[in-house]
Amino acid sequence: MNTLQTLAAPAGRVLLATLFLLAGLQKIGGYDGTLAYMASQGVPGFTLPLVIALEVLGALAIIVGWQTRLVALLLAGFSIASGLLFHFKPDDAMQMTMLLKNLAIAGGFLLLVAHGAGAWSVDGRRRG
């Protein structure tokens, strides 16, 4: 693995995961508001603790590169599902852009599924 790949893998993991870490923490701080928004979109409230756990714990796992392929697959699926649930509004250009953002993020996670976390990760140390 060359130097660029060695450095790009952890940087990419941090950049992908930071969005989910911050979103999960914001949901904790704004729990009632998030619950109300989810309900307004027809999403049952019992899923909110699961969403928070996936976002926060999943982000931390991606950052350190632990169980990267599995967690990245879960976060890719979550990105697609949440994009379709909350942003698929063909008559609203901004919401469709948000959907495309979610799909692009899912694509980044699928690259992690395909290629793994890289050398600078818990997964990489286990193999080494």
Side-chain angles (χ1 to χ4, degrees):
M1 187 175 282
N2 67 39
T3 303
L4 179 59
Q5 290 171 319
T6 301
L7 296 174
R13 291 193 326 265
V14 168
L15 291 172
L16 275 170
T18 298
L19 172 69
F20 291 87
L21 180 60
L22 295 176
L25 294 174
Q26 288 171 343
K27 284 175 179 69
I28 293 168
Y31 196 91
D32 291 336
T34 303
L35 205 58
Y37 178 66
M38 289 173 61
S40 77
Q41 299 297 307
V43 178
F46 76 85
T47 62
L48 183 53
L50 301 172
V51 167
I52 292 169
L54 178 60
E55 287 183 334
V56 173
L57 299 176
L60 293 173
I62 293 293
I63 288 168
V64 301
W66 179 76
Q67 296 291 315
T68 304
R69 285 185 160 101
L70 172 62
V71 175
L73 184 61
L74 292 171
L75 286 168
F78 173 77
S79 296
I80 293 167
S82 62
L84 291 171
L85 281 169
F86 294 102
H87 302 301
F88 183 72
K89 296 177 176 51
D91 57 337
D92 185 334
M94 180 57 74
Q95 288 303 316
M96 291 306 287
T97 298
M98 298 297 284
L99 171 62
L100 292 173
K101 171 204 56 103
N102 277 50
L103 296 177
I105 292 167
F109 281 124
L110 290 175
L111 286 170
L112 282 177
V113 172
H115 297 286
W120 289 0
S121 67
V122 173
D123 294 345
R125 291 185 60 92
R126 283 196 210 154
R127 276 179 288 185

